[in-house]
Amino acid sequence: SFTMNTYLFVYDLMQFCGHSWIFTNMIIRFMTFGKDSLADTFYSIGLVMRLCQLLSVLEILHILIGIEKSRLLPRLLQITERIIVLFVVINSQEEVQGKYVVCVLFFLWNLLDLVRYTYNMLARMGLYYLPLTWLNFSLCIPLYPLSVLAKAFAICVSLPYFESFGTYSIKLPLPFAFSIYFPYVLKMYLLVLFVGMCFIIQNYFSERKAHLGTGNIKSKRS
């Protein structure tokens, strides 16, 4: 309906504005301060990044109620990955926030999202440009694995701090005698991260073939 399409356009516009601000801020800071700006990335744009990623949870709801035509599981995995790495790993450990990997991760996320939300906004209005469509369904194939490697590296960097500070580790007293050592949880999640990457990459190739391989260009989430 017109109302739902307008709502989705406004949603995509909000995300586009947020990610555009982050991306522009990162570029200007790097051109102004050089490498010194990399260690300060989280402190300068972390709040807006967290807001954008929290807002992206609505995309799961969009698929569930049927106003967005996309596969639920790939999108759920992608959003969950970002939420876990951003809020559980990076946000909880101040020592990790100053690492260069955070800047790399934010850059990859924003580059992907700027293309995706631009494509989606135009698609809501029935506008399709072949170069943008090709970019939307092609750029994610090489960049998503790079973002997964950056996520994995961020997790590995955070492990010594989780071990030292005991963040999120739980040890229940007797008679339960049950404990959760969070670094082990993160190590197991690394396996889930790479298994999920294979599934999502396969989904990217399927979507690219559907939109570009047959010449049938239509709106769909990447």
Side-chain angles (χ1 to χ4, degrees):
S1 67
F2 175 78
T3 303
M4 287 296 98
N5 197 59
T6 302
Y7 160 75
L8 290 174
F9 176 83
V10 172
Y11 168 80
D12 290 328
L13 179 61
M14 291 175 61
Q15 287 282 30
F16 172 80
C17 291
H19 287 288
S20 295
W21 183 89
I22 294 172
F23 192 80
T24 304
N25 188 288
M26 291 180 67
I27 297 298
I28 293 176
R29 285 177 56 81
F30 181 77
M31 293 177 65
T32 304
F33 303 107
K35 291 184 178 180
D36 293 338
S37 66
L38 302 182
D40 199 35
T41 298
F42 184 84
Y43 303 102
S44 60
I45 64 175
L47 176 60
V48 180
M49 174 60 78
R50 280 174 282 180
L51 290 175
C52 288
Q53 297 309 316
L54 284 176
L55 191 62
S56 70
V57 176
L58 289 175
E59 296 179 27
I60 300 174
L61 180 62
H62 297 165
I63 298 172
L64 287 174
I65 64 179
I67 64 174
E68 185 68 40
K69 303 300 181 183
S70 185
R71 296 180 64 185
L72 175 62
L73 185 56
R75 196 72 196 120
L76 178 63
L77 286 174
Q78 288 176 287
I79 293 174
T80 303
E81 289 172 5
R82 292 191 180 189
I83 294 295
I84 290 175
V85 172
L86 180 57
F87 287 92
V88 178
V89 176
I90 299 175
N91 190 63
S92 67
Q93 299 297 336
E94 187 174 353
E95 292 77 6
V96 178
Q97 295 169 11
K99 304 294 184 182
Y100 287 172
V101 67
V102 175
C103 181
V104 173
L105 193 56
F106 283 9
F107 180 83
L108 292 172
W109 285 354
N110 278 278
L111 187 57
L112 287 168
D113 286 340
L114 275 176
V115 174
R116 183 162 66 92
Y117 289 118
T118 301
Y119 170 82
N120 286 333
M121 281 193 301
L122 294 176
R124 307 295 177 199
M125 299 184 292
L127 300 175
Y128 301 94
Y129 298 100
L130 186 57
L132 181 60
T133 302
W134 183 90
L135 196 62
N136 182 59
F137 292 102
S138 301
L139 188 64
C140 52
I141 294 175
L143 290 192
Y144 176 71
L146 291 178
S147 73
V148 171
L149 290 176
K151 293 171 194 173
F153 188 76
I155 292 175
C156 292
V157 168
S158 71
L159 287 175
Y161 303 108
F162 280 105
E163 292 171 355
S164 300
F165 303 136
T167 311
Y168 300 132
S169 294
I170 301 173
K171 186 174 183 180
L172 298 178
L174 293 174
F176 300 101
F178 177 77
S179 62
I180 298 177
Y181 189 55
F182 195 70
Y184 289 162
V185 176
L186 287 178
K187 291 176 182 179
M188 289 187 291
Y189 181 68
L190 284 173
L191 178 61
V192 176
L193 195 63
F194 284 101
V195 171
M197 179 187 71
C198 297
F199 174 75
I200 292 172
I201 288 296
Q202 184 181 15
N203 182 69
Y204 278 146
F205 274 108
S206 298
E207 290 193 337
R208 189 180 188 278
K209 182 178 180 180
H211 288 80
L212 299 177
T214 61
N216 181 26
I217 301 175
K218 58 183 178 179
S219 175
K220 194 172 183 180
R221 284 280 181 185
S222 62

